[in-house]
Amino acid sequence: MERVAAKGMTFDRAFVVSPSCAPSRAALLTGLMPARNGAEANHSKPRDEIKKLPAYFHDLGYQVVSFGKVAHYRQVTNYGFDVARHFNYHDDVAVDEAIEWLKNRTDDRPLCLFVGTNWPHVPWPKPRDVDPKSIQIPTTHVTTPKTRAARAMYYQAVLTMDEELGRTFDAAYEVLGENTLFLHTSDHGAQWPFGKWNLYDDGLRTPMIAVWPGRIAPNVRTDAMVTWVDILPTLVAAAGGDPQALAGEDELDGRSFLPVLTGEAESHRDRVFATHSGDGNINVYPSRGVRDERYKYIRNLHPEYKFTSHVTEKPGDTGYWPSWVKKAETTPAAADKVRRYQQRPAEELYDLQVDPQELNNLAADPAHAERVQAMSAAVDAWMTEQGDEQTVYGQPKLSAP
């Protein structure tokens, strides 16, 4: 990743629009937010009649191909890709097969190729190149031997992804040449407490690196604020198309950040909105939020619900959560972290400049009352504009009184 970044632009403020797989990927491939494309809860899919990314590139004369987890697993077959292979759960031959296909490709059309890896999605591999003793546990997590062991497995998965990134990057330029826009990103935060399924930055902030020799300056960083819903119009614009004209009657939520890539602009958005609905009965906790350059406002639609997830309900995936609960019985700091993960207030406000870990909720602070009111009103207006019905998907669990 460091080598790829040295050849292009790294985004320090790139965000997904929803912190779970299916809604995030559907937003990427439609240019529409979840309430507008229909894929709100995890495992849901966008409505059939909505124009999707492959159709935009077909209009521009491209072959459009997908290998690996690009849409939500098998849902990729509904998107209109010319080729879609190895999209099943942890179909880990996908990257090798994509590179082999690319090197043997004979089609002379321009190419839009998506290569998706399941890493670092669970299950994580046993550590080979990571020393558990060297790992620093995040301050929001509970330090236990099980946490350390799981963190080592997670880092091994990250290293696997990193190696796949390098091989994909090299193959792209070897086969397609210098006039290739290469974009690397990820669909949500990691499956750790306060990450995936959460509107904290650990759930929403995503890596994004773009390389395009001769068009994007090498080894630069930008703090321009962009979201995954902006990717479709950006790619279309880079290919010479007019995103909104190709979209037809559906007004895109996304806006092209091509001027940021080419150095013609230094900023893109002054705020980003995010939404989460849930993940089956395992995670039923709808929330909405907005983040500007400094502050994050989160509204938990049902604070009476208990926040559960695969972390708490399927600890066999990673093995550490029971050790958190056990330590919480005797350690107040651990108890605070467990309680904070599973019990949330109706509103949260964080000053990300001084509190990047989002630990100090300012929503009830009189000094921030006007800010809370303004950001709450912005979320209200956005939800109305989106046609957000605040649907609860699944059967929630209630917090203890």
Side-chain angles (χ1 to χ4, degrees):
M1 189 181 294
E2 186 176 34
R3 180 166 63 88
V4 174
K7 294 181 179 295
M9 176 178 286
T10 298
F11 286 78
D12 289 324
R13 292 180 175 176
F15 300 91
V16 298
V17 300
S18 189
S20 63
C21 308
S24 182
R25 293 167 183 270
L28 163 70
L29 293 169
T30 64
L32 301 172
M33 296 292 285
R36 292 192 61 216
N37 69 42
E40 293 188 85
N42 201 20
H43 307 294
S44 59
K45 61 183 181 179
R47 295 190 302 278
D48 290 339
E49 69 271 16
I50 291 175
K51 186 171 184 177
K52 301 169 180 69
L53 185 143
Y56 286 82
F57 278 87
H58 287 151
D59 290 345
L60 298 172
Y62 276 68
Q63 182 185 26
V64 195
V65 175
S66 165
F67 276 81
K69 188 181 180 184
V70 172
H72 193 55
Y73 298 118
R74 186 168 293 277
Q75 290 179 14
V76 73
T77 59
N78 299 323
Y79 277 83
F81 285 94
D82 297 309
V83 177
R85 299 177 185 169
H86 302 292
F87 43 73
N88 293 314
Y89 181 74
H90 263 287
D91 202 345
D92 293 325
V93 300
V95 173
D96 289 336
E97 292 293 326
I99 292 171
E100 184 69 17
W101 177 88
L102 180 61
K103 290 183 175 180
N104 290 284
R105 177 176 179 257
T106 58
D107 197 301
D108 60 2
R109 286 176 290 174
L111 174 65
C112 179
L113 172 63
F114 283 81
V115 182
T117 176
N118 275 275
W119 304 113
H121 195 289
V122 297
W124 299 323
K126 292 182 179 180
R128 301 184 309 274
D129 309 306
V130 180
D131 178 8
K133 295 179 181 178
S134 69
I135 290 172
Q136 291 187 343
I137 305 300
T139 57
T140 55
H141 293 179
V142 178
T143 300
T144 69
K146 292 284 189 181
T147 306
R148 189 172 299 280
R151 199 80 186 170
M153 292 191 295
Y154 169 64
Y155 287 157
Q156 187 65 56
V158 171
L159 288 173
T160 303
M161 177 280 301
D162 188 68
E163 187 270 338
E164 292 179 338
L165 169 62
R167 288 193 291 113
T168 304
F169 181 80
D170 292 342
Y173 284 100
E174 175 188 336
V175 175
L176 300 174
E178 293 289 285
N179 189 25
T180 299
L181 170 57
F182 187 97
L183 184 72
H184 165 70
T185 188
S186 184
D187 62 347
H188 49 67
Q191 187 169 316
W192 286 93
F194 311 105
K196 184 179 181 180
W197 307 292
N198 292 267
L199 299 191
Y200 305 117
D201 272 12
D202 271 0
L204 296 176
R205 186 165 170 259
T206 186
M208 185 180 289
I209 303 170
V211 177
W212 194 359
R215 298 292 299 276
I216 298 174
N219 200 30
V220 295
R221 304 189 78 96
T222 177
D223 61 3
M225 191 175 290
V226 302
T227 106
W228 254 42
V229 81
D230 296 328
I231 292 176
L232 183 154
T234 301
L235 298 180
V236 170
D242 181 331
Q244 190 53 61
L246 291 174
E249 295 181 358
D250 287 327
E251 182 177 355
L252 293 174
D253 291 314
R255 295 190 286 111
S256 169
F257 56 82
L258 182 60
V260 174
L261 295 178
T262 58
E264 299 169 59
E266 294 183 353
S267 62
H268 184 62
R269 292 182 179 270
D270 58 6
R271 62 186 181 182
V272 294
F273 291 93
T275 175
H276 176 63
S277 290
D279 194 346
N281 289 329
I282 292 177
N283 173 246
V284 185
Y285 205 86
S287 51
R288 308 291 186 263
V290 61
R291 185 199 198 279
D292 62 23
E293 297 283 345
R294 180 168 177 174
Y295 291 93
K296 161 85 65 62
Y297 170 82
I298 297 172
R299 180 184 300 164
N300 298 308
L301 302 186
H302 291 278
E304 71 276 16
Y305 294 174
K306 184 177 184 179
F307 190 98
T308 59
S309 68
H310 284 69
V311 169
T312 63
E313 306 305 291
K314 291 192 172 184
D317 285 351
T318 52
Y320 61 84
W321 180 255
S323 73
W324 287 32
V325 175
K326 182 67 175 176
K327 190 169 183 176
E329 294 174 0
T330 57
T331 307
D336 286 343
K337 293 172 184 179
V338 169
R339 182 168 52 251
R340 179 172 177 262
Y341 185 58
Q342 297 205 282
Q343 297 179 20
R344 316 278 174 94
E347 293 183 300
E348 301 175 64
L349 178 73
Y350 299 101
D351 182 344
L352 298 165
Q353 182 172 300
V354 301
D355 179 25
Q357 297 295 320
E358 296 168 276
L359 298 173
N360 183 24
N361 182 11
L362 303 172
D365 185 339
H368 292 277
E370 289 187 11
R371 189 180 310 280
V372 170
Q373 184 178 12
M375 297 184 86
S376 176
V379 167
D380 282 336
W382 175 72
M383 291 170 65
T384 299
E385 176 187 291
Q386 291 283 310
D388 185 342
E389 297 181 355
Q390 306 178 47
T391 304
V392 176
Y393 299 90
Q395 297 298 316
K397 297 177 174 64
L398 297 180
S399 290

